[in-house]
Amino acid sequence: MLTTLNTAYSDTRAADLAWALGREPLPALATLDLELTGAKLQLRLLGASHQVLVEEGRGLCSETVACIPGSSTPLPLGVATRVGDWEYEFAARVEVLAPGSFAGRAQELLALVADHPQGLAGVFPGSPHAFTAMLAQRCQGRIHWRTWHAYPQDGQLVATRTRVGVRTMAHSGVGRA
C-alpha cells in the first residue's frame, strides 16, 4: 500500500533517528494490520518514521525507529536481545547515494513495497523521494520486517532489518540435560 502522508517532513536527517523497544503505540499517519500465521502485526507510519507492533501467543513486542524527543538511544547498528518471551534481532545501516542513484533506488523500493500485500509506504509532501517504507513476512516460524527511511536532501537511505519470534524450549535452555 502506498500513501501520501498528510504531514510535514519532520525527521530531516538519518542521524536524528532513535531506536526503542516496548514503547506504547504512538499516533500514526497510516497503518497496515496483518495476520501472519497466528501473529498479529501492525505496521505504523509515524510523522517521525515507523513503529511495528507484534502480538503472538504469549508475547508482545513493539519496535519504534523515529525521531523521539528526549531519547538517548541512537539508532544502533545491531541488537540481539530477549524481550519477555521474544527473541529479537535488529540491524541498521545507512547508505549514502549520489543524487541520480538515490532517485533510482527510491523508485525501486517504492515499487517493491507499493503493491505488496504485506507492505506499507508513505511519501512525505514536497519530495517524491522522501519516504518511509515497510515490508513484513513470516519465515521459518519468525516474523521479519524491513524498513527504509529516505533522506533525499542528504542522499541518505536508512535500511533496517528485524526478526522476532517467541522463544522455544530448545532456545531458552529449559528442559536440557
Side-chain angles (χ1 to χ4, degrees):
M1 179 172 88
L2 179 63
T3 185
T4 298
L5 300 173
N6 186 19
T7 188
Y9 190 45
S10 63
D11 52 355
T12 57
R13 300 178 320 133
D16 293 338
L17 287 175
W19 168 85
L21 283 176
R23 289 185 77 94
E24 292 295 319
L26 297 172
L29 300 172
T31 61
L32 178 63
D33 292 309
L34 300 170
E35 182 85 25
L36 300 176
T37 316
K40 293 179 183 176
L41 182 73
Q42 186 177 68
L43 304 179
R44 303 168 58 81
L45 294 178
L46 312 175
S49 287
H50 89 257
Q51 188 172 50
V52 178
L53 308 176
V54 182
E55 180 180 351
E56 178 184 40
R58 301 179 317 271
L60 298 170
C61 185
S62 164
E63 172 190 278
T64 305
V65 172
C67 294
I68 304 169
S71 176
S72 60
T73 306
L75 192 64
L77 295 177
V79 173
T81 189
R82 292 181 177 166
V83 180
D85 286 340
W86 293 95
E87 290 180 350
Y88 173 92
E89 296 174 28
F90 173 87
R93 75 177 191 284
V94 178
E95 297 177 51
V96 179
L97 303 164
S101 297
F102 188 92
R105 182 77 171 130
Q107 290 172 346
E108 176 184 276
L109 288 169
L110 287 172
L112 170 72
V113 175
D115 294 326
H116 196 288
Q118 296 166 190
L120 177 62
V123 177
F124 290 90
S127 172
H129 304 128
F131 67 90
T132 298
M134 308 169 73
L135 189 59
Q137 67 177 351
R138 182 154 192 130
C139 181
Q140 298 176 342
R142 293 181 171 251
I143 299 164
H144 301 250
W145 62 86
R146 297 181 65 188
T147 72
W148 299 271
H149 305 263
Y151 301 92
Q153 71 280 7
D154 297 326
Q156 293 182 325
L157 183 66
V158 178
T160 73
R161 290 178 185 240
T162 302
R163 182 171 62 181
V164 296
V166 175
R167 283 189 284 163
T168 62
M169 295 293 275
H171 289 105
S172 67
V174 175
R176 290 192 195 170

